[in-house]
């Protein structure tokens, strides 16, 4: 039998059993993605380093089945777009960009411009190759034919990626649109944890770059909690990483460290969670040391610093005037108290005044952290958000903090060891430094992005 005769018989066999062949390929493709997405439901975490290799091995088996079929001679024209879409999706299962996927999916769309799944898969290909412009065009192309959750949530991610260094007036409407797209994606399927995760990231971005409203951060955490209920989302390291970022800025340090550590275990080769884990551990260790050693200043110097505080001058307007609380019409007369008189949580109607004994160098510059001490000789950290780079008090400066919110931070495990008390300040404009209110030009919005959405 000649080779041409054998090829002809293979073509006839495939054509005769085409419905079964296409269905089997579709089932195998679903199984491949299920194997990838639910890997940690069926394998221990210590296999994380070999996950991609395991997926690629299964991918190559299915790739051979697709490549054994000649689309031009063995697949009828009416089914070629669907076949090429499935073939492209098979190539695209890997976390790294595969140009073969782009080729197949581009051909599928040319054959059938209404194939929404192919548009979305092509968009994900472009994202893997960091071609954001083409990715956006692909997802918008899909939405022209059908409002679907994958296009919506991916466009939500891209909009936030495009913000860059825009002014707040320009970025705010884009961020709010990003939130709306993510909310619409969730509404399409409330059980899809990936959409919930994207919505959580959108809220996190809104919190930092639009308005630091605590209710927005609660919505963020609520979205992450919903994502947690989906085993597919729960197997993604970005969910743990991004939730860790949110927890870090909530100053829930122990939980944040746990999130970063788990993200590292899910993807040992991924650098961002390792960097965050190391940076946060170093920060907490430095904060603990700063408070414990009182900035390594000599006792005599500290005593002189504390005794020389002129309360009347350094308390400024807080010494005799009223304090207008942020986001409220409440005016209060502040009572000066010592640091050791503060209660855990909010201390309404109180103001503390202390000398700066040192600060912490933080590469992210968020938050700006320094420690103060007063006549009680108790030292406490002050973490200030939204303070412009290069600003902040110096050693010896007197700082007044109205209505301080005090928290105790402690942890003693193999991951980290720290113990200190901290006062959180969201708006530096309420601080008095040497009796004077911090000027408005020293205010700068904290800019935070969840870095594993486009990678």
């Amino acid at each position: 039998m000649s080779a041409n005769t054998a090829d002809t018989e293979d073509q006839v066999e495939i054509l005769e059993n085409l419905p079964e062949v296409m269905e089997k390929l579709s089932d195998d493709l679903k199984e491949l993605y299920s194997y990838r997405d639910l890997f940690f439901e069926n394998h221990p975490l210590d296999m994380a380093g070999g996950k991609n290799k395991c997926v690629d091995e299964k991918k190559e088996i299915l790739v051979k089945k697709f490549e054994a079929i000649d689309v031009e001679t063995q697949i009828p024209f009416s089914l070629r777009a669907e076949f090429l879409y499935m073939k492209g999706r098979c190539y695209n299962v890997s976390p790294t960009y595969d140009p073969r996927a782009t080729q197949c999916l581009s051909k599928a769309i040319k054959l059938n411009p209404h194939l929404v799944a192919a548009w979305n898969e092509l968009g994900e290909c472009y994202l893997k190759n960091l071609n954001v412009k083409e990715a956006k065009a692909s997802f918008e192309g899909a939405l022209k034919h059908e409002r679907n959750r994958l296009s919506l949530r991916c466009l939500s991610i891209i909009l936030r990626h495009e913000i860059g260094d825009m002014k707040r007036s320009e970025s705010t409407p884009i961020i709010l649109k990003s939130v709306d797209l993510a909310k619409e994606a969730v509404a399409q399927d409330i059980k899809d944890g990936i959409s919930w995760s994207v919505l959580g990231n959108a809220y996190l971005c809104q919190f930092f770059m639009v308005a630091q409203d605590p209710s927005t951060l609660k919505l963020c955490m609520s979205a992450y909690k919903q994502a947690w209920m989906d085993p597919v989302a729960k197997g993604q390291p970005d969910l743990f990483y991004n939730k860790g970022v949110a927890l870090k800025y909530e100053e829930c340090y122990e939980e944040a460290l746990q999130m970063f550590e788990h993200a590292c275990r899910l993807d040992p080769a991924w650098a961002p969670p390792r960097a965050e884990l190391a940076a946060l551990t170093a920060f907490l260790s430095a904060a603990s040391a700063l408070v414990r050693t009182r900035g390594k200043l000599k006792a005599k110097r500290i005593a002189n610093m504390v005794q020389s505080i002129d309360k009347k001058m350094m308390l400024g307007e807080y010494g005799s005037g009223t304090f207008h609380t942020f986001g409220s019409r409440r005016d209060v007369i502040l009572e000066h108290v010592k640091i050791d008189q503060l209660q855990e949580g909010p201390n309404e109607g109180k103001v503390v005044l202390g000398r700066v004994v040192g600060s912490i160098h933080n590469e992210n510059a968020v938050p700006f952290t320094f420690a103060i001490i007063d006549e009680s000789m108790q030292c406490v950290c002050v973490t200030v958000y939204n303070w412009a780079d290069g600003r902040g008090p110096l050693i010896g400066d007197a700082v007044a903090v109205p209505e301080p919110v005090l928290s105790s931070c402690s942890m003693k495990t193999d991951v980290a060891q720290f113990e200190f008390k901290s006062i959180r300040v969201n708006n530096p404009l309420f601080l008095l430094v040497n009796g004077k209110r911090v000027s408005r030009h020293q205010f700068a919005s904290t800019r935070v992005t969840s870095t594993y959405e486009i990678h």
Side-chain angles (χ1 to χ4, degrees):
M1 182 186 297
S2 67
N4 289 337
T5 302
D7 289 344
T8 301
E9 290 180 355
D10 288 342
Q11 292 171 18
V12 171
E13 183 179 354
I14 290 175
L15 286 169
E16 289 178 346
N17 301 296
L18 192 59
E20 291 83 359
V21 170
M22 291 288 285
E23 184 177 358
K24 183 64 168 63
L25 288 172
S26 178
D27 290 343
D28 288 347
L29 188 60
K30 290 177 183 177
E31 184 180 330
L32 174 63
Y33 271 81
S34 179
Y35 178 81
R36 183 197 72 176
D37 295 339
L38 298 174
F39 187 84
F40 296 109
E41 291 290 300
N42 304 296
H43 300 84
L45 265 178
D46 57 16
M47 284 188 65
K51 175 187 174 181
N52 291 339
K53 182 180 177 181
C54 292
V55 172
D56 282 341
E57 288 174 354
K58 286 190 171 292
K59 167 187 170 180
E60 288 308 313
I61 294 172
L62 187 53
V63 162
K64 288 179 180 178
K65 293 182 181 180
F66 276 107
E67 292 184 345
I69 300 172
D70 183 356
V71 67
E72 299 294 335
T73 60
Q74 295 176 300
I75 303 296
F77 184 82
S78 61
L79 294 176
R80 285 180 191 173
E82 181 67 23
F83 177 83
L84 287 167
Y85 156 67
M86 290 195 298
K87 187 176 181 181
R89 181 163 166 78
C90 179
Y91 286 133
N92 201 35
V93 73
S94 302
T96 53
Y97 175 69
D98 189 332
R100 297 175 298 178
T102 306
Q103 294 170 5
C104 288
L105 295 165
S106 297
K107 290 178 182 178
I109 289 170
K110 287 179 181 178
L111 290 171
N112 183 3
H114 299 280
L115 193 55
V116 171
W119 279 109
N120 284 331
E121 201 67 36
L122 182 59
E124 295 204 340
C125 279
Y126 285 131
L127 280 183
K128 288 180 181 179
N129 200 31
L130 300 181
N131 189 339
V132 179
K133 182 179 179 181
E134 292 298 332
K136 184 177 183 180
S138 297
F139 295 125
E140 289 175 340
L143 289 179
K144 289 178 182 178
H145 303 288
E146 179 189 350
R147 303 294 289 185
N148 67 93
R149 67 182 187 278
L150 203 155
S151 300
L152 291 165
R153 72 190 185 208
C154 286
L155 282 174
S156 171
I157 294 169
I158 289 172
L159 285 178
R160 280 177 274 123
H161 176 81
E162 290 179 332
I163 291 169
D165 296 323
M166 286 184 184
K167 295 178 181 178
R168 175 180 282 199
S169 59
E170 298 173 335
S171 65
T172 293
I174 295 175
I175 294 169
L176 295 179
K177 183 178 179 182
S178 167
V179 172
D180 288 340
L181 289 172
K183 288 167 69 175
E184 186 180 350
V186 166
Q188 295 262 337
D189 182 357
I190 61 172
K191 294 183 179 181
D192 188 328
I194 302 297
S195 295
W196 278 110
S197 181
V198 172
L199 178 58
N201 298 339
Y203 279 133
L204 183 62
C205 188
Q206 179 184 341
F207 175 79
F208 283 110
M209 301 181 69
V210 178
Q212 293 191 359
D213 184 345
S215 64
T216 304
L217 203 55
K218 287 183 180 180
L219 289 171
C220 167
M221 288 303 185
S222 177
Y224 287 145
K225 184 178 180 180
Q226 290 294 325
W228 226 261
M229 298 172 69
D230 181 355
V232 174
K234 199 173 181 180
Q236 305 301 313
D238 63 304
L239 174 59
F240 291 86
Y241 173 79
N242 293 324
K243 186 174 182 180
V245 171
L247 286 166
K248 180 179 73 171
Y249 288 103
E250 275 200 313
E251 298 191 357
C252 298
Y253 296 126
E254 184 173 357
E255 291 180 76
L257 289 169
Q258 291 170 354
M259 293 299 105
F260 293 139
E261 186 181 20
H262 197 74
C264 290
R265 295 182 68 190
L266 285 172
D267 190 348
W270 184 36
R274 290 203 310 275
E276 283 285 355
L277 183 61
L280 182 54
T281 301
F283 168 78
L284 294 169
S285 177
S288 187
L290 178 61
V291 170
R292 185 180 67 254
T293 65
R294 300 174 181 176
K296 296 183 179 179
L297 299 183
K298 293 181 179 180
K300 185 176 181 180
R301 184 180 178 187
I302 291 176
N304 289 334
M305 288 168 59
V306 171
Q307 291 170 8
S308 64
I309 295 178
D310 184 334
K311 295 178 184 177
K312 184 176 181 181
M313 179 180 294
M314 297 308 176
L315 282 174
E317 61 191 88
Y318 295 154
S320 57
T322 57
F323 171 62
H324 183 71
T325 56
F326 182 71
S328 169
R329 296 178 179 177
R330 187 169 57 93
D331 287 330
V332 295
I333 301 295
L334 295 173
E335 175 193 359
H336 174 236
V337 297
K338 300 175 185 178
I339 292 174
D340 64 356
Q341 293 177 304
L342 294 177
Q343 303 294 320
E344 287 276 328
N347 287 268
E348 296 183 356
K350 311 294 184 184
V351 59
V352 291
L353 174 66
R355 291 279 193 189
V356 176
V357 297
S359 60
I360 298 173
H361 173 70
N362 185 353
E363 291 184 2
N364 293 331
V366 180
F368 182 85
T369 304
F370 57 93
I372 60 173
I373 192 169
D374 67 3
E375 56 194 303
S376 71
M377 301 308 287
Q378 183 166 334
C379 192
V380 64
C381 265
V382 180
T383 54
V384 186
Y385 295 81
N386 300 307
W387 210 327
D389 291 346
R391 309 294 178 179
L394 304 175
I395 292 175
D397 283 344
V399 177
V401 185
E403 300 202 314
V405 179
L406 183 72
S407 61
S408 294
C409 308
S410 64
M411 180 179 179
K412 192 172 184 179
T413 67
D414 293 338
V415 177
Q417 295 185 23
F418 57 88
E419 183 176 7
F420 60 93
K421 290 187 176 181
S422 177
I423 294 173
R424 180 188 179 110
V425 179
N426 286 328
N427 191 339
L429 301 184
F430 290 144
L431 296 177
L432 296 186
V433 179
N434 298 323
K436 298 179 181 179
R437 190 182 284 268
V438 172
S439 61
R440 290 190 175 276
H441 72 273
Q442 294 189 36
F443 181 91
S445 295
T446 303
R447 301 181 74 87
V448 173
T449 55
S450 41
T451 59
Y452 200 48
E453 291 188 292
I454 295 181
H455 54 93

